Amino acid sequence: PEFGAHPYEAQFRRFLAELWSGYFAKQREFLRSLGCRALLTDLNWYATPYLSAIRDNFDLVDNHQYHDHPSFPVQEWRMPFGFTNTNPVLELASTPRELMPPRIFGKPFTVTEFNYCFPNPYRNGGTLLFGAYAALQDWDGVYRFAWSHEADAIKRTKEIGPFDIVNDPAAQLAERLGILLFRRGDAAPGKERTAYILGNTPEEWTAQVYPAPFTRLGLRQQIGTVLAEKALPAGVKPFAGNDQAEAKVITSDTGEITLDAENGDFRAVTPRTEGFMLASGRPGVGKVVKVTPDRNFQVAAAAVRDNAASLATSKRILIVHLSQSVNFKARFDSPERKLLESLGSAPLLLHVAEADFELDLPALRNPKLYRLDHTGKRLGELSFSRENGKIRFRNQAAETPALELTGE
C-alpha cells in the first residue's frame, strides 16, 4: 500500500523487511559458497527510514540521487523532457542532503549514481557542492552517472544529454573540483556525528522520509542511522533536535562549507581549495581568493596543483571558471526552459560570464598566469596586475574556463 493508506501498514512493512532480509541472506550465503568475497549490498534507491532495518544486514549501504532528473510528460524516455531548472542551493542542497540519513554508522557508505542533469543551468556547480558534502559526511565512495552510455560518443563529438559528460568539457572541469574536495581530502570530515535512532513505533515504520530538521543537520555535521537495538558506535550521539533547522545560511562545524539558501550561493573554503557557486551576483570571498562576478551564474575555484599544504604557500595553482552551457540549436518551449523539445547538436555553447579575480599571495615570487584548454594544455599568458601581494585579473569563462598560476 501507499504510505499512510492502511491501518496495518506498519505491520506490513515489517513483514516486507523480514522477507527481504531473508531473501538477501540466502543470496549472500549462495555467493559466499562460490567463493565470492566482494562486499554485497542492495536497495540503492530511496531514503525511507524503515529501509535501514533491511540495509543493516548488508556489508555496505549504497544509494542514488539526481538533481533535476528529466521527467517525461508525453512518453517515458522520449522527448520532450521536463525539468525544474532549480538551483540546488535554494533547495538546501536536497542533493546530496537527502542521501545523508540512510548511511548506517559502522558500515561503509557509497553513492554509485548521482548527477546534476543537463540542461539545468546550475549543474556545473553540482560536483563542487556534492564533493564538499561527501567529504563532510566522510563517505567512502561517490560515482557520477555517467561518463558515456555508448562507445560512439567516446569516439566522436556529439551533443550532450541529461546524464553523460564525455562530450561536456565544462562538466569534466567541474568534476575535478569535487574530486579535489572529496577524493584528495581537501575538505575535512565533520567533527560531530549524530544518529537517527530507528525504533519500532508505527510512526517510524510508516514515515516516508526522515525528519527535515535531521536531514538539515547534515549540512553542519555527519549524520546517519542506527537501529534502536544496536549500540551507538563510539563518538556518535542520538539525534535530539536541531536548533538551526530553519536557518537559511548554514556553515559546517569544520567552518569550511557555507550554504546560503537565501541568495543561492555556496562556498567551500579549505586550505588547498577555495570554490564558489555564485548565483546572486555577490562576491565569493575566501581566505586567499575573492571572485566578483557579473550578474550571470558562475562557478569559480582555485586549487593547489603542487604538494603545498595551502594555497597561500603553493607555487602552482589551478583556477577554474565556468558558466552555463547548452547544445547548439537546443530547443525549449519557453524562455524558462522547463520543457526540452530537442537536444540540439554539437558544438557546445558556453554562456558569456565575466568575473574579477583577486588572489592574496604575498609569498609568490615572479608569478605567471597561463590560459589553459580543457586538457590542461597552456594556450598562452594572461595579463594581470599586482599590488601589495594581491594578484588581480578579469576573466571571461566561455573563453578561458581554466587557468594556471605559477611562481617561485
Short mmCIF file of all heavy atoms in Angstrom, two decimals, residues 62-67 88-89 93-100 109-116 122-145 174-175 177-183 187-188 218-219 257 259 266-268 277:
data_model
loop_
_atom_site.label_atom_id
_atom_site.label_comp_id
_atom_site.label_asym_id
_atom_site.label_seq_id
_atom_site.Cartn_x
_atom_site.Cartn_y
_atom_site.Cartn_z
N ASP A 62 24.41 1.61 0.05
CA ASP A 62 24.61 2.37 -1.19
C ASP A 62 23.29 3.04 -1.55
O ASP A 62 22.21 2.50 -1.28
CB ASP A 62 25.05 1.43 -2.32
CG ASP A 62 25.22 2.16 -3.65
OD1 ASP A 62 26.03 3.10 -3.69
OD2 ASP A 62 24.53 1.80 -4.62
N ASN A 63 23.37 4.22 -2.15
CA ASN A 63 22.15 4.91 -2.55
C ASN A 63 22.43 5.78 -3.77
O ASN A 63 23.59 6.05 -4.11
CB ASN A 63 21.60 5.76 -1.40
CG ASN A 63 20.08 5.69 -1.33
OD1 ASN A 63 19.42 5.44 -2.33
ND2 ASN A 63 19.53 5.92 -0.15
N HIS A 64 21.34 6.21 -4.43
CA HIS A 64 21.41 7.02 -5.64
C HIS A 64 20.55 8.26 -5.50
O HIS A 64 19.52 8.24 -4.82
CB HIS A 64 20.90 6.23 -6.86
CG HIS A 64 21.64 4.98 -7.16
ND1 HIS A 64 21.18 4.04 -8.05
CD2 HIS A 64 22.82 4.50 -6.69
CE1 HIS A 64 22.04 3.03 -8.13
NE2 HIS A 64 23.04 3.29 -7.31
N GLN A 65 20.94 9.33 -6.20
CA GLN A 65 20.10 10.53 -6.24
C GLN A 65 20.53 11.43 -7.39
O GLN A 65 21.72 11.49 -7.76
CB GLN A 65 20.18 11.31 -4.92
CG GLN A 65 19.11 12.41 -4.82
CD GLN A 65 19.18 13.18 -3.52
OE1 GLN A 65 20.19 13.17 -2.83
NE2 GLN A 65 18.10 13.86 -3.17
N TYR A 66 19.55 12.15 -7.94
CA TYR A 66 19.79 13.10 -9.03
C TYR A 66 19.12 14.42 -8.71
O TYR A 66 18.03 14.44 -8.13
CB TYR A 66 19.23 12.56 -10.35
CG TYR A 66 19.92 11.32 -10.86
CD1 TYR A 66 19.55 10.07 -10.38
CD2 TYR A 66 20.95 11.40 -11.78
CE1 TYR A 66 20.18 8.93 -10.83
CE2 TYR A 66 21.59 10.27 -12.23
CZ TYR A 66 21.21 9.04 -11.75
OH TYR A 66 21.85 7.90 -12.18
N HIS A 67 19.77 15.49 -9.14
CA HIS A 67 19.13 16.80 -9.11
C HIS A 67 18.61 17.11 -10.50
O HIS A 67 19.36 17.08 -11.47
CB HIS A 67 20.10 17.90 -8.66
CG HIS A 67 19.45 19.26 -8.65
ND1 HIS A 67 18.59 19.66 -7.66
CD2 HIS A 67 19.53 20.29 -9.53
CE1 HIS A 67 18.18 20.89 -7.91
NE2 HIS A 67 18.72 21.29 -9.05
N PRO A 88 20.15 24.04 -6.83
CA PRO A 88 20.13 23.13 -5.68
C PRO A 88 20.42 23.82 -4.35
O PRO A 88 19.98 23.34 -3.31
CB PRO A 88 21.22 22.11 -6.02
CG PRO A 88 22.10 22.79 -7.02
CD PRO A 88 21.20 23.68 -7.80
N VAL A 89 21.11 24.93 -4.38
CA VAL A 89 21.41 25.65 -3.14
C VAL A 89 20.13 26.20 -2.52
O VAL A 89 19.95 26.18 -1.31
CB VAL A 89 22.43 26.77 -3.39
CG1 VAL A 89 22.67 27.58 -2.12
CG2 VAL A 89 23.74 26.19 -3.91
N ALA A 93 20.44 22.19 -0.75
CA ALA A 93 21.25 21.07 -1.24
C ALA A 93 20.53 19.74 -1.07
O ALA A 93 21.07 18.78 -0.52
CB ALA A 93 22.62 21.04 -0.56
N SER A 94 19.27 19.67 -1.54
CA SER A 94 18.50 18.43 -1.41
C SER A 94 19.27 17.25 -1.96
O SER A 94 19.17 16.13 -1.45
CB SER A 94 17.15 18.58 -2.11
OG SER A 94 17.32 18.95 -3.47
N THR A 95 20.04 17.48 -3.03
CA THR A 95 21.06 16.54 -3.48
C THR A 95 22.40 17.17 -3.13
O THR A 95 22.74 18.21 -3.67
CB THR A 95 20.99 16.31 -5.01
OG1 THR A 95 19.69 15.84 -5.36
CG2 THR A 95 22.04 15.33 -5.47
N PRO A 96 23.11 16.63 -2.14
CA PRO A 96 23.07 15.30 -1.55
C PRO A 96 22.44 15.20 -0.15
O PRO A 96 22.57 14.14 0.47
CB PRO A 96 24.55 14.97 -1.45
CG PRO A 96 25.17 16.28 -1.08
CD PRO A 96 24.38 17.33 -1.81
N ARG A 97 21.78 16.23 0.33
CA ARG A 97 21.32 16.21 1.73
C ARG A 97 20.42 15.02 2.02
O ARG A 97 20.52 14.40 3.09
CB ARG A 97 20.60 17.52 2.04
CG ARG A 97 19.94 17.58 3.40
CD ARG A 97 19.40 18.98 3.70
NE ARG A 97 18.54 19.49 2.68
CZ ARG A 97 17.23 19.25 2.59
NH1 ARG A 97 16.64 18.50 3.51
NH2 ARG A 97 16.50 19.77 1.62
N GLU A 98 19.54 14.67 1.08
CA GLU A 98 18.60 13.58 1.33
C GLU A 98 19.27 12.21 1.32
O GLU A 98 18.66 11.22 1.72
CB GLU A 98 17.46 13.65 0.32
CG GLU A 98 16.58 14.87 0.52
CD GLU A 98 15.62 15.11 -0.62
OE1 GLU A 98 15.63 14.31 -1.59
OE2 GLU A 98 14.85 16.10 -0.58
N LEU A 99 20.51 12.15 0.84
CA LEU A 99 21.27 10.90 0.88
C LEU A 99 21.95 10.67 2.23
O LEU A 99 22.42 9.56 2.50
CB LEU A 99 22.35 10.91 -0.20
CG LEU A 99 21.90 10.76 -1.66
CD1 LEU A 99 23.06 11.06 -2.58
CD2 LEU A 99 21.35 9.37 -1.92
N MET A 100 22.04 11.69 3.05
CA MET A 100 22.85 11.59 4.27
C MET A 100 22.25 10.70 5.35
O MET A 100 22.97 9.90 5.95
CB MET A 100 23.10 13.01 4.81
CG MET A 100 23.89 13.91 3.87
SD MET A 100 23.96 15.61 4.47
CE MET A 100 24.81 16.43 3.13
N PHE A 109 29.68 3.49 3.29
CA PHE A 109 28.56 4.12 2.56
C PHE A 109 29.08 4.67 1.24
O PHE A 109 30.08 5.38 1.20
CB PHE A 109 27.95 5.26 3.38
CG PHE A 109 26.78 5.91 2.69
CD1 PHE A 109 25.52 5.33 2.75
CD2 PHE A 109 26.93 7.07 1.96
CE1 PHE A 109 24.43 5.90 2.10
CE2 PHE A 109 25.87 7.66 1.31
CZ PHE A 109 24.61 7.07 1.38
N THR A 110 28.37 4.32 0.16
CA THR A 110 28.73 4.81 -1.16
C THR A 110 27.50 5.38 -1.86
O THR A 110 26.36 5.05 -1.51
CB THR A 110 29.32 3.69 -2.04
OG1 THR A 110 28.34 2.65 -2.19
CG2 THR A 110 30.59 3.12 -1.44
N VAL A 111 27.76 6.23 -2.85
CA VAL A 111 26.72 6.71 -3.76
C VAL A 111 27.19 6.33 -5.16
O VAL A 111 28.11 6.96 -5.69
CB VAL A 111 26.52 8.23 -3.64
CG1 VAL A 111 25.46 8.70 -4.63
CG2 VAL A 111 26.13 8.61 -2.22
N THR A 112 26.61 5.29 -5.74
CA THR A 112 27.09 4.79 -7.02
C THR A 112 26.35 5.39 -8.21
O THR A 112 26.63 5.02 -9.35
CB THR A 112 27.03 3.26 -7.09
OG1 THR A 112 25.72 2.82 -6.73
CG2 THR A 112 28.05 2.63 -6.15
N GLU A 113 25.43 6.30 -7.94
CA GLU A 113 24.85 7.13 -9.01
C GLU A 113 24.47 8.48 -8.42
O GLU A 113 23.74 8.53 -7.43
CB GLU A 113 23.59 6.49 -9.61
CG GLU A 113 23.83 5.32 -10.52
CD GLU A 113 22.55 4.87 -11.22
OE1 GLU A 113 21.66 5.73 -11.45
OE2 GLU A 113 22.43 3.67 -11.52
N PHE A 114 25.00 9.54 -9.02
CA PHE A 114 24.50 10.88 -8.73
C PHE A 114 24.78 11.74 -9.94
O PHE A 114 25.69 11.46 -10.73
CB PHE A 114 25.15 11.48 -7.47
CG PHE A 114 26.48 12.15 -7.72
CD1 PHE A 114 26.55 13.51 -7.99
CD2 PHE A 114 27.66 11.42 -7.69
CE1 PHE A 114 27.77 14.14 -8.21
CE2 PHE A 114 28.88 12.03 -7.91
CZ PHE A 114 28.94 13.39 -8.17
N ASN A 115 24.00 12.77 -10.10
CA ASN A 115 24.28 13.73 -11.16
C ASN A 115 23.39 14.96 -10.98
O ASN A 115 22.35 14.90 -10.30
CB ASN A 115 24.04 13.14 -12.56
CG ASN A 115 24.95 13.75 -13.62
OD1 ASN A 115 25.47 14.85 -13.44
ND2 ASN A 115 25.15 13.05 -14.71
N TYR A 116 23.83 16.05 -11.58
CA TYR A 116 23.05 17.27 -11.73
C TYR A 116 22.83 17.38 -13.24
O TYR A 116 23.77 17.62 -14.00
CB TYR A 116 23.80 18.47 -11.17
CG TYR A 116 24.02 18.36 -9.67
CD1 TYR A 116 25.01 17.52 -9.16
CD2 TYR A 116 23.23 19.07 -8.78
CE1 TYR A 116 25.21 17.40 -7.79
CE2 TYR A 116 23.43 18.95 -7.40
CZ TYR A 116 24.41 18.12 -6.92
OH TYR A 116 24.60 17.99 -5.56
N TYR A 122 22.45 25.26 -13.44
CA TYR A 122 23.32 25.32 -12.26
C TYR A 122 24.15 24.04 -12.11
O TYR A 122 24.87 23.89 -11.12
CB TYR A 122 22.49 25.53 -11.00
CG TYR A 122 21.60 26.76 -11.08
CD1 TYR A 122 20.27 26.65 -11.44
CD2 TYR A 122 22.12 28.03 -10.82
CE1 TYR A 122 19.46 27.78 -11.54
CE2 TYR A 122 21.33 29.16 -10.91
CZ TYR A 122 19.99 29.03 -11.27
OH TYR A 122 19.21 30.14 -11.37
N ARG A 123 24.08 23.15 -13.08
CA ARG A 123 24.68 21.82 -12.90
C ARG A 123 26.19 21.84 -12.76
O ARG A 123 26.77 20.96 -12.11
CB ARG A 123 24.27 20.88 -14.04
CG ARG A 123 24.89 21.22 -15.39
CD ARG A 123 24.30 20.36 -16.50
NE ARG A 123 24.96 20.57 -17.76
CZ ARG A 123 24.72 21.59 -18.58
NH1 ARG A 123 23.83 22.52 -18.23
NH2 ARG A 123 25.38 21.72 -19.72
N ASN A 124 26.86 22.83 -13.34
CA ASN A 124 28.32 22.86 -13.25
C ASN A 124 28.81 23.18 -11.84
O ASN A 124 30.00 23.03 -11.55
CB ASN A 124 28.90 23.84 -14.27
CG ASN A 124 28.84 23.30 -15.68
OD1 ASN A 124 28.83 22.08 -15.89
ND2 ASN A 124 28.79 24.18 -16.67
N GLY A 125 27.92 23.62 -10.98
CA GLY A 125 28.28 23.81 -9.57
C GLY A 125 27.97 22.59 -8.72
O GLY A 125 28.36 22.53 -7.55
N GLY A 126 27.28 21.61 -9.31
CA GLY A 126 26.82 20.47 -8.54
C GLY A 126 27.92 19.62 -7.95
O GLY A 126 27.83 19.19 -6.79
N THR A 127 28.97 19.36 -8.72
CA THR A 127 30.03 18.50 -8.19
C THR A 127 30.86 19.20 -7.11
O THR A 127 31.40 18.54 -6.23
CB THR A 127 30.94 17.99 -9.31
OG1 THR A 127 31.28 19.08 -10.19
CG2 THR A 127 30.26 16.90 -10.11
N LEU A 128 30.96 20.52 -7.16
CA LEU A 128 31.59 21.26 -6.07
C LEU A 128 30.78 21.06 -4.79
O LEU A 128 31.32 20.74 -3.73
CB LEU A 128 31.68 22.75 -6.42
CG LEU A 128 32.24 23.68 -5.35
CD1 LEU A 128 33.75 23.50 -5.23
CD2 LEU A 128 31.90 25.14 -5.66
N LEU A 129 29.47 21.22 -4.92
CA LEU A 129 28.55 21.04 -3.79
C LEU A 129 28.61 19.61 -3.27
O LEU A 129 28.75 19.37 -2.06
CB LEU A 129 27.14 21.40 -4.26
CG LEU A 129 26.01 21.41 -3.24
CD1 LEU A 129 26.04 22.71 -2.45
CD2 LEU A 129 24.66 21.30 -3.97
N PHE A 130 28.49 18.64 -4.18
CA PHE A 130 28.43 17.24 -3.79
C PHE A 130 29.75 16.78 -3.17
O PHE A 130 29.77 16.09 -2.14
CB PHE A 130 28.10 16.37 -5.00
CG PHE A 130 27.50 15.04 -4.66
CD1 PHE A 130 26.14 14.86 -4.72
CD2 PHE A 130 28.30 13.98 -4.27
CE1 PHE A 130 25.57 13.62 -4.41
CE2 PHE A 130 27.75 12.76 -3.96
CZ PHE A 130 26.38 12.57 -4.02
N GLY A 131 30.86 17.15 -3.79
CA GLY A 131 32.16 16.74 -3.26
C GLY A 131 32.42 17.29 -1.87
O GLY A 131 32.98 16.60 -1.01
N ALA A 132 32.00 18.53 -1.65
CA ALA A 132 32.21 19.14 -0.32
C ALA A 132 31.43 18.40 0.75
O ALA A 132 31.97 18.07 1.82
CB ALA A 132 31.80 20.61 -0.37
N TYR A 133 30.16 18.10 0.48
CA TYR A 133 29.34 17.44 1.49
C TYR A 133 29.66 15.96 1.63
O TYR A 133 29.52 15.39 2.73
CB TYR A 133 27.86 17.67 1.22
CG TYR A 133 27.41 19.06 1.61
CD1 TYR A 133 26.85 19.93 0.68
CD2 TYR A 133 27.58 19.51 2.91
CE1 TYR A 133 26.45 21.21 1.03
CE2 TYR A 133 27.18 20.79 3.29
CZ TYR A 133 26.61 21.64 2.35
OH TYR A 133 26.23 22.91 2.71
N ALA A 134 30.09 15.31 0.55
CA ALA A 134 30.54 13.92 0.67
C ALA A 134 31.75 13.84 1.59
O ALA A 134 31.89 12.90 2.39
CB ALA A 134 30.87 13.36 -0.71
N ALA A 135 32.64 14.84 1.49
CA ALA A 135 33.80 14.88 2.38
C ALA A 135 33.37 15.17 3.81
O ALA A 135 33.85 14.55 4.77
CB ALA A 135 34.78 15.94 1.90
N LEU A 136 32.43 16.11 3.99
CA LEU A 136 31.95 16.44 5.33
C LEU A 136 31.34 15.21 6.00
O LEU A 136 31.55 14.96 7.19
CB LEU A 136 30.90 17.56 5.26
CG LEU A 136 30.34 18.02 6.61
CD1 LEU A 136 31.35 18.89 7.34
CD2 LEU A 136 29.02 18.77 6.42
N GLN A 137 30.60 14.41 5.23
CA GLN A 137 29.96 13.21 5.77
C GLN A 137 30.94 12.05 5.92
O GLN A 137 30.60 11.04 6.53
CB GLN A 137 28.80 12.79 4.87
CG GLN A 137 27.63 13.75 4.86
CD GLN A 137 27.04 13.94 6.24
OE1 GLN A 137 26.85 12.99 6.99
NE2 GLN A 137 26.76 15.19 6.60
N ASP A 138 32.14 12.17 5.36
CA ASP A 138 33.15 11.12 5.43
C ASP A 138 32.65 9.83 4.78
O ASP A 138 32.86 8.73 5.30
CB ASP A 138 33.57 10.86 6.88
CG ASP A 138 34.92 10.15 6.98
OD1 ASP A 138 35.69 10.21 6.01
OD2 ASP A 138 35.19 9.53 8.02
N TRP A 139 31.98 9.98 3.62
CA TRP A 139 31.53 8.82 2.87
C TRP A 139 32.73 8.08 2.27
O TRP A 139 33.85 8.61 2.24
CB TRP A 139 30.57 9.25 1.76
CG TRP A 139 29.25 9.72 2.25
CD1 TRP A 139 28.71 9.54 3.49
CD2 TRP A 139 28.28 10.48 1.51
NE1 TRP A 139 27.47 10.12 3.57
CE2 TRP A 139 27.18 10.70 2.37
CE3 TRP A 139 28.23 10.97 0.21
CZ2 TRP A 139 26.04 11.40 1.95
CZ3 TRP A 139 27.10 11.67 -0.21
CH2 TRP A 139 26.03 11.88 0.65
N ASP A 140 32.47 6.89 1.78
CA ASP A 140 33.56 6.03 1.30
C ASP A 140 33.75 6.04 -0.22
O ASP A 140 34.82 5.66 -0.70
CB ASP A 140 33.32 4.60 1.79
CG ASP A 140 33.37 4.53 3.30
OD1 ASP A 140 34.48 4.54 3.87
OD2 ASP A 140 32.29 4.50 3.93
N GLY A 141 32.74 6.42 -0.97
CA GLY A 141 32.89 6.45 -2.42
C GLY A 141 31.71 7.13 -3.08
O GLY A 141 30.57 6.99 -2.62
N VAL A 142 31.96 7.90 -4.15
CA VAL A 142 30.89 8.50 -4.94
C VAL A 142 31.21 8.29 -6.42
O VAL A 142 32.37 8.35 -6.83
CB VAL A 142 30.69 10.01 -4.64
CG1 VAL A 142 30.26 10.20 -3.19
CG2 VAL A 142 31.95 10.80 -4.91
N TYR A 143 30.18 8.02 -7.20
CA TYR A 143 30.33 7.72 -8.62
C TYR A 143 29.34 8.56 -9.41
O TYR A 143 28.13 8.42 -9.22
CB TYR A 143 30.06 6.24 -8.90
CG TYR A 143 30.94 5.28 -8.15
CD1 TYR A 143 30.73 5.03 -6.79
CD2 TYR A 143 31.96 4.59 -8.80
CE1 TYR A 143 31.54 4.14 -6.10
CE2 TYR A 143 32.77 3.70 -8.12
CZ TYR A 143 32.55 3.48 -6.76
OH TYR A 143 33.34 2.59 -6.09
N ARG A 144 29.85 9.38 -10.30
CA ARG A 144 28.95 10.16 -11.13
C ARG A 144 28.39 9.28 -12.24
O ARG A 144 29.10 8.48 -12.84
CB ARG A 144 29.69 11.35 -11.75
CG ARG A 144 28.79 12.27 -12.55
CD ARG A 144 29.47 13.58 -12.75
NE ARG A 144 28.61 14.54 -13.42
CZ ARG A 144 28.92 15.82 -13.53
NH1 ARG A 144 30.03 16.27 -13.01
NH2 ARG A 144 28.12 16.65 -14.15
N PHE A 145 27.11 9.45 -12.52
CA PHE A 145 26.47 8.73 -13.61
C PHE A 145 26.05 9.75 -14.66
O PHE A 145 25.17 10.56 -14.42
CB PHE A 145 25.24 7.98 -13.09
CG PHE A 145 24.59 7.11 -14.12
CD1 PHE A 145 25.02 5.81 -14.31
CD2 PHE A 145 23.55 7.59 -14.88
CE1 PHE A 145 24.43 5.00 -15.27
CE2 PHE A 145 22.95 6.80 -15.84
CZ PHE A 145 23.38 5.50 -16.03
N ALA A 174 34.35 20.78 -13.94
CA ALA A 174 33.63 20.89 -12.67
C ALA A 174 33.83 19.65 -11.81
O ALA A 174 33.93 19.74 -10.59
CB ALA A 174 32.14 21.11 -12.95
N GLU A 175 33.89 18.49 -12.45
CA GLU A 175 34.08 17.25 -11.71
C GLU A 175 35.41 17.24 -10.97
O GLU A 175 35.53 16.68 -9.87
CB GLU A 175 33.99 16.06 -12.64
CG GLU A 175 34.07 14.73 -11.94
CD GLU A 175 33.50 13.60 -12.78
OE1 GLU A 175 32.28 13.40 -12.76
OE2 GLU A 175 34.30 12.93 -13.44
N LEU A 177 36.74 19.58 -9.41
CA LEU A 177 36.61 20.29 -8.14
C LEU A 177 36.05 19.37 -7.06
O LEU A 177 36.50 19.38 -5.92
CB LEU A 177 35.70 21.51 -8.33
CG LEU A 177 36.17 22.53 -9.38
CD1 LEU A 177 35.17 23.66 -9.48
CD2 LEU A 177 37.55 23.05 -9.05
N GLY A 178 35.07 18.56 -7.43
CA GLY A 178 34.53 17.60 -6.47
C GLY A 178 35.56 16.56 -6.08
O GLY A 178 35.63 16.14 -4.91
N ILE A 179 36.38 16.13 -7.04
CA ILE A 179 37.42 15.15 -6.76
C ILE A 179 38.43 15.72 -5.77
O ILE A 179 38.87 15.02 -4.84
CB ILE A 179 38.12 14.73 -8.07
CG1 ILE A 179 37.16 13.90 -8.93
CG2 ILE A 179 39.39 13.93 -7.78
CD1 ILE A 179 37.66 13.62 -10.33
N LEU A 180 38.82 16.97 -5.94
CA LEU A 180 39.79 17.58 -5.04
C LEU A 180 39.24 17.66 -3.61
O LEU A 180 39.94 17.35 -2.64
CB LEU A 180 40.15 18.98 -5.54
CG LEU A 180 40.96 19.05 -6.83
CD1 LEU A 180 41.07 20.49 -7.32
CD2 LEU A 180 42.35 18.46 -6.64
N LEU A 181 37.99 18.06 -3.49
CA LEU A 181 37.42 18.21 -2.15
C LEU A 181 37.19 16.87 -1.47
O LEU A 181 37.46 16.71 -0.28
CB LEU A 181 36.09 18.98 -2.24
CG LEU A 181 36.20 20.45 -2.62
CD1 LEU A 181 34.83 21.03 -2.91
CD2 LEU A 181 36.88 21.25 -1.51
N PHE A 182 36.73 15.88 -2.23
CA PHE A 182 36.39 14.58 -1.64
C PHE A 182 37.54 13.58 -1.72
O PHE A 182 38.05 13.11 -0.70
CB PHE A 182 35.15 14.00 -2.32
CG PHE A 182 34.81 12.61 -1.86
CD1 PHE A 182 34.39 12.38 -0.57
CD2 PHE A 182 34.90 11.54 -2.73
CE1 PHE A 182 34.08 11.10 -0.13
CE2 PHE A 182 34.59 10.25 -2.31
CZ PHE A 182 34.18 10.03 -1.01
N ARG A 183 37.99 13.28 -2.95
CA ARG A 183 38.97 12.21 -3.10
C ARG A 183 40.36 12.62 -2.59
O ARG A 183 41.04 11.82 -1.94
CB ARG A 183 39.05 11.78 -4.58
CG ARG A 183 39.97 10.61 -4.85
CD ARG A 183 39.46 9.36 -4.17
NE ARG A 183 40.39 8.24 -4.34
CZ ARG A 183 41.39 7.97 -3.51
NH1 ARG A 183 41.58 8.74 -2.45
NH2 ARG A 183 42.18 6.95 -3.72
N ALA A 187 38.56 18.89 1.70
CA ALA A 187 37.55 19.26 2.70
C ALA A 187 37.57 18.25 3.83
O ALA A 187 37.63 17.04 3.60
CB ALA A 187 36.16 19.33 2.06
N ALA A 188 37.50 18.72 5.05
CA ALA A 188 37.63 17.86 6.23
C ALA A 188 36.30 17.20 6.59
O ALA A 188 35.23 17.78 6.35
CB ALA A 188 38.13 18.68 7.42
N GLY A 218 22.67 17.53 8.56
CA GLY A 218 23.75 17.01 7.74
C GLY A 218 24.52 18.06 6.96
O GLY A 218 25.58 17.77 6.42
N LEU A 219 24.01 19.28 6.90
CA LEU A 219 24.76 20.38 6.28
C LEU A 219 25.77 20.97 7.24
O LEU A 219 26.60 21.78 6.84
CB LEU A 219 23.79 21.46 5.80
CG LEU A 219 22.73 21.00 4.79
CD1 LEU A 219 21.79 22.15 4.46
CD2 LEU A 219 23.37 20.44 3.53
N ILE A 257 32.56 24.97 4.92
CA ILE A 257 31.47 24.92 3.95
C ILE A 257 30.34 25.82 4.40
O ILE A 257 29.87 25.71 5.52
CB ILE A 257 30.96 23.48 3.77
CG1 ILE A 257 32.10 22.54 3.36
CG2 ILE A 257 29.83 23.42 2.75
CD1 ILE A 257 31.73 21.07 3.45
N LEU A 259 26.52 27.22 3.00
CA LEU A 259 25.42 27.22 2.04
C LEU A 259 24.49 28.38 2.37
O LEU A 259 24.05 28.52 3.51
CB LEU A 259 24.67 25.89 2.10
CG LEU A 259 23.47 25.73 1.17
CD1 LEU A 259 23.43 24.32 0.59
CD2 LEU A 259 22.16 26.04 1.90
N PHE A 266 27.02 29.36 -2.70
CA PHE A 266 27.67 28.29 -1.94
C PHE A 266 29.17 28.50 -1.98
O PHE A 266 29.72 28.97 -2.99
CB PHE A 266 27.32 26.93 -2.55
CG PHE A 266 28.07 25.77 -1.95
CD1 PHE A 266 27.64 25.19 -0.78
CD2 PHE A 266 29.22 25.27 -2.56
CE1 PHE A 266 28.33 24.12 -0.21
CE2 PHE A 266 29.91 24.21 -2.01
CZ PHE A 266 29.47 23.63 -0.83
N ARG A 267 29.85 28.14 -0.89
CA ARG A 267 31.30 28.23 -0.89
C ARG A 267 31.90 27.09 -0.09
O ARG A 267 31.34 26.64 0.91
CB ARG A 267 31.79 29.57 -0.35
CG ARG A 267 31.60 29.77 1.13
CD ARG A 267 32.25 31.05 1.61
NE ARG A 267 32.29 31.12 3.06
CZ ARG A 267 32.95 32.04 3.75
NH1 ARG A 267 33.62 32.98 3.09
NH2 ARG A 267 32.96 32.03 5.06
N ALA A 268 33.04 26.63 -0.56
CA ALA A 268 33.86 25.65 0.16
C ALA A 268 35.25 26.25 0.22
O ALA A 268 35.94 26.37 -0.80
CB ALA A 268 33.87 24.31 -0.57
N MET A 277 29.99 28.70 -5.81
CA MET A 277 28.84 28.79 -6.71
C MET A 277 28.23 30.16 -6.50
O MET A 277 27.81 30.49 -5.38
CB MET A 277 27.80 27.71 -6.39
CG MET A 277 28.15 26.31 -6.82
SD MET A 277 26.85 25.12 -6.34
CE MET A 277 25.46 25.67 -7.35
#
